Amino acid sequence: MRAGRGHRVAIDGFGTTVEPAAGSVIHIETVATFGHEKVESAFTAAGLEIDRMWTDSRGDYALVLVRPPG
């Protein structure tokens, strides 16, 4: 997805807000079979770094914010 305009989005369940600027590319994935280590290694292999990761109280679901290194 690409943001057509800037947004301010509160993610209540994770207690945070994100603010993608106009033109920002927003990648959305639904993955049900990966643990934390496999997710981290997949992003590393793709040349990305995990900026933040939020999980539910049981650790069943995660929201991962990644960025290019540096």
Side-chain angles (χ1 to χ4, degrees):
M1 294 177 25
R2 184 174 300 274
R5 60 183 171 82
H7 294 274
R8 181 180 174 98
V9 181
I11 304 171
D12 297 333
F14 295 106
T16 192
T17 300
V18 294
E19 298 185 38
S24 295
V25 176
I26 303 167
H27 297 278
I28 298 174
E29 283 288 329
T30 302
V31 179
T33 58
F34 297 117
H36 176 83
E37 292 169 1
K38 193 166 185 178
V39 168
E40 187 171 7
S41 67
F43 285 126
T44 299
L48 299 168
E49 294 178 352
I50 294 177
D51 188 313
R52 293 189 60 189
M53 180 182 285
W54 300 269
T55 61
D56 67 323
S57 60
R58 293 183 2 185
D60 292 336
Y61 300 94
L63 174 65
V64 184
L65 178 62
V66 296
R67 60 180 167 77

